[in-house]
Amino acid sequence: MASPPRARGGIPATTGRRPMARGELHGRASGASGASVGPAAPLTAYAPVRPPIRRTAAEAVAFLRQRSVLADDPALPRGQGRPVLVLPVLGRGDRHTVPMRGALERLGYRPFGWGLGTNAGPTPRLLAGVEHRLLALHAEHGPLDLVGFSLGGVFARLLAHRHPDKVRQVATVCSPFREIVDSAFLPLRPFLRAWGTPDLPDLAAEASRPLPVPGTFLFSRTDGIVAWESCIEPSRPEDCFEVPGPHVGIGQNPAVLAILACRLGRDLSGEAPSRG
């Protein structure tokens, strides 16, 4: 069976996804298309725009229609047994990542959950626990690929910054690592103390810095939970990929799987980290 045609970045052209061009780095939600994109602005000028309420309302409907499995695609590249640590969204645990981990396993990867229960945010327990999980898996399997969904992607970026020798690459899926606190559909600042982490502003700044390892950054312009502009890496537009669909469905999205399979399976020998 012939392989499907490839778009730029090694992604199957049939997914309709592609890397961003440099003129698409900044935009504001407007109209039915979900975004009106203008010229790139300096990174220091970026201010997130919360998703409009109509998109957030659509997320509630999509939540009730979620699928529980991901269909296999024999055309996707194989994983050659590489280990992958998969980190869940806020408010969910390893059960949420079962469909994606199952699909990656069938593609030949060795996916692992984070084993820490519900992702309750950047609490001291979870920050220490996910770091211990990475170190333990690395001791047994060597450098890992990290895949983080939404807030899980912020955890993945922190791990890569602190242990770049133990992380092969990072893929974030609809993860608002830029201006994290102000990117959600609800204001988060009044609730920061509930996490019990005194250095949250420093952690947010650390997570937003360009990665010291290769990265892949997925976003959806129809995201009703976080500002999609907060999920892209301005210094690496060629590593940013748009996917269709709502935020609540990212763990069961076939387009997400297709991009992850192609990006996780690529040869990184000539890849530069995400520094601008």
Side-chain angles (χ1 to χ4, degrees):
M1 182 178 189
S3 297
R6 300 276 155 182
R8 187 160 56 97
I11 307 304
T14 51
T15 67
R17 305 304 100 199
R18 58 173 176 77
M20 298 185 77
R22 287 205 172 266
E24 296 180 279
L25 290 179
H26 294 263
R28 289 176 177 268
S30 68
S33 66
S36 174
V37 181
L43 180 59
T44 54
Y46 174 68
V49 178
R50 299 189 193 280
I53 191 169
R54 67 178 182 277
R55 271 196 262 152
T56 303
E59 294 280 354
V61 175
F63 180 80
L64 299 176
R65 298 177 177 174
Q66 289 184 87
R67 67 185 77 195
S68 59
V69 296
L70 268 170
D72 293 337
D73 184 347
L76 294 178
R78 310 296 296 180
Q80 301 176 351
R82 278 196 292 268
V84 183
L85 176 57
V86 184
L87 308 178
V89 302
L90 179 67
R92 305 294 292 274
D94 284 334
R95 184 176 179 181
H96 176 263
T97 64
V98 164
M100 190 62 67
R101 285 189 285 125
L104 290 174
E105 184 174 28
R106 292 189 295 274
L107 286 172
Y109 291 91
R110 286 183 292 170
F112 299 93
W114 79 336
L116 296 170
T118 300
N119 184 347
T123 64
R125 182 186 74 85
L126 292 181
L127 289 168
V130 73
E131 189 169 12
H132 181 268
R133 178 67 163 157
L134 172 68
L135 297 178
L137 288 173
H138 177 269
E140 185 174 354
H141 302 285
L144 286 89
D145 293 343
L146 306 185
V147 174
F149 291 93
S150 195
L151 186 62
V154 177
F155 278 94
R157 291 179 68 94
L158 288 172
L159 290 175
H161 279 299
R162 297 177 180 187
H163 302 282
D165 58 321
K166 297 174 176 60
V167 175
R168 180 174 173 268
Q169 64 176 316
V170 169
T172 60
V173 185
C174 297
S175 301
F177 53 85
R178 300 172 61 205
E179 300 295 339
I180 302 167
V181 175
D182 297 314
S183 294
F185 74 101
L186 288 176
L188 294 180
R189 290 189 179 275
F191 306 101
L192 295 183
R193 291 184 179 179
W195 278 315
T197 305
D199 53 349
L200 276 178
D202 293 337
L203 289 175
E206 183 180 3
S208 69
R209 294 203 308 267
L211 291 171
V213 300
T216 297
F217 316 102
L218 279 65
F219 68 97
S220 172
R221 294 180 199 263
T222 59
D223 198 316
I225 301 298
V226 300
W228 69 262
E229 301 95 330
S230 297
C231 304
I232 62 175
E233 177 53 76
S235 66
R236 303 287 292 192
E238 65 275 18
D239 293 326
C240 299
F241 296 85
E242 182 182 359
V243 295
H247 190 98
V248 297
I250 54 179
Q252 302 86 31
N253 190 326
V256 170
L257 173 61
I259 294 173
L260 290 179
C262 293
R263 297 289 286 183
L264 296 180
R266 62 190 166 140
D267 179 10
L268 296 179
S269 58
E271 284 283 329
S274 295
R275 295 189 181 97

